[in-house]
Structure formats: structure tokens, C-alpha cells
Amino acid sequence: SYVLTQPPSVSVAPGQTATLTCEGDNIGSKSAHWYQQKPGQAPVVVVYDDSDRPSGVTERFSGSNSGNTATLTISRVEAGDEADYYCQVWDGNSDHGVFGGGTQLTVL
Amino acid sequence: DVQLVETGGGLIQPGGSLRVACAATGFTVSSNYMAWVRQAPGKGLEWVSIMYSGGSTYYADSVKGRCTISRDKSKNTMFLQLDGVTTEDTAVYYCARKANGFYTYFDLWGQGTLVTVSS
């Protein structure tokens, strides 16, 4: 089965840039999506199809996907960005959804 | 308003069955690809199952053989039944809608319902 690997935690100071990675075998050939989940809340998509943002999501969130790594970049990080972030792809070979293990973003 | 509301959580004994429901408003469940995702306490998201608009169903290996996803068009509601539960099935169960078209992400989520498996 397809596996996505994310670092368990990332820390960043306010105003700096956070870079969250998601590794998977040739993930660049798939569409990668990113969700933000705050405590006690359901996940919310912040980037879809590698680099598109849903309406209402700040342009500080951006994404890229190439080779074996998809990346979510959060620029000018704010305290309100502190959350867990999950990457997700669809495995078309098995018709299964796949989530990464999640990265806890801490704003120092 | 477009939303999903899960119900049916609670305490279940090991070996029993769980059945959770997901009621949709503002759109038609049977015209969409609808999924279940669960999250064990303090853990990450785990995709569980999906039902396509045409009725095809798929399951994660962790639940295959003991899980059934279904829908009731008259109630605009989706269901998940999981038999032979163990403590490993303790989780918040979310229903989610796969975005329309060729998209492969989930654009709408419910608030989740907690299922606890314990004796």
C-alpha cells in the first residue's frame, strides 16, 4: 500500500516561514492535498492539487509537489497557524485514500 | 447550508458492532463520492472507506471484511457499520465528501462522532 511520511513536528518563530514536507514514492505523479486540523475540530483543506488554494484560505499557504516530496509552505507564520497538518493523496491503483502521519506545527 | 452531521457514537463492547450515520444537508449524498475517515485519540487521520456515486465501495485493509458502507437516498444519509470491533477501532469517525469532478481531495467534513470500544 502507498505510504506518505511527514515529520512529526516543525517549530517556527512568528513571521518566519514554515516548510512542511510529505514524502512518498513518486508522489509528484499524484495530486497532493494538505489539511489543517486544530484541536477538537475537523480537518480543513488548505491546499489541493499540489498548489491550489480554496477560496478563503490565505495566500500565505502555498504548495508544491515534485519527485518524491510534496511541500506545504506557510509564509509569515502567525500564532493562529499552530495546528496539525496532514498531506493526502488518492491511490488510483487501489481506490484508497492515503493520509500522511501528520506534522504538528508549533509557533514559538 | 451545506453540511455533514455524524451521529451514532458512543461506548461499544469489544466484539460488538458500531454503526455511525452521516446526514447531509444542502447537497445529495448519492450524487457524490462519500468517505469515512477516522482518528484514534492523539493519532493521525486514517482513511476507512468510500462509496462512489455509482455505488462502488472500497475499504482500507484495516477494516476490510468487517466493514460496510451504505446510504439511504430517502434520508440523504450515509452509514458505516463495523463488526467485530476491538479497542483499535476507538476513534472519532468523520464523514467527508470528495470534491466533485476529477479532484481527489475532501472538500467537506462533518464534525465527527466519537466511538469508544471498551469493556
Side-chain angles (χ1 to χ4, degrees):
Chain A
S1 60
Y2 194 77
V3 176
L4 296 174
T5 302
Q6 299 182 247
S9 63
V10 168
S11 299
V12 63
Q16 299 303 303
T17 297
T19 302
L20 283 65
T21 59
C22 175
E23 296 185 346
D25 183 38
N26 198 24
I27 191 176
S29 66
K30 303 178 184 297
S31 293
H33 319 298
W34 292 89
Y35 300 86
Q36 177 191 70
Q37 186 182 35
K38 295 184 177 180
Q41 298 182 18
V44 174
V45 62
V46 291
V47 167
Y48 67 93
D49 282 2
D50 301 335
S51 58
D52 290 337
R53 279 186 311 275
S55 60
V57 173
T58 173
E59 62 181 14
R60 297 187 299 103
F61 286 81
S62 62
S64 63
N65 186 12
S66 178
N68 293 321
T69 305
T71 302
L72 174 69
T73 302
I74 310 172
S75 58
R76 303 184 302 281
V77 166
E78 303 173 355
D81 298 331
E82 194 163 274
D84 294 327
Y85 290 85
Y86 295 91
C87 58
Q88 178 251 317
V89 299
W90 190 258
D91 184 352
N93 291 329
S94 60
D95 284 288
H96 280 41
V98 182
F99 286 95
T103 296
Q104 182 177 56
L105 176 67
T106 299
V107 181
L108 301 171
Chain B
D1 206 18
V2 177
Q3 65 176 347
L4 296 167
V5 177
E6 300 96 335
T7 55
L11 181 64
I12 303 173
Q13 290 198 333
S17 296
L18 74 82
R19 182 175 168 87
V20 290
C22 170
T25 55
F27 72 99
T28 302
V29 163
S30 60
S31 298
N32 286 269
Y33 290 10
M34 299 296 297
W36 288 96
V37 177
R38 69 183 181 180
Q39 185 170 36
K43 303 297 184 182
L45 302 173
E46 179 189 16
W47 178 83
V48 175
S49 179
I50 193 166
M51 174 176 268
Y52 288 172
S53 54
S56 299
T57 58
Y58 300 91
Y59 301 96
D61 291 346
S62 58
V63 300
K64 196 170 184 178
R66 59 190 187 97
C67 186
T68 304
I69 188 172
S70 61
R71 66 193 178 198
D72 183 330
K73 291 183 180 181
S74 67
K75 296 180 179 179
N76 205 30
T77 297
M78 178 177 69
F79 302 93
L80 182 77
Q81 178 161 331
L82 188 60
D83 300 322
V85 297
T86 72
T87 56
E88 301 293 307
D89 296 312
T90 293
V92 173
Y93 285 75
Y94 294 101
C95 61
R97 182 182 71 181
K98 194 159 169 277
N100 264 331
F102 292 108
Y103 297 111
T104 58
Y105 70 98
F106 302 105
D107 68 342
L108 181 67
W109 295 67
Q111 85 288 350
T113 188
L114 175 61
V115 174
T116 303
V117 180
S118 175
S119 56

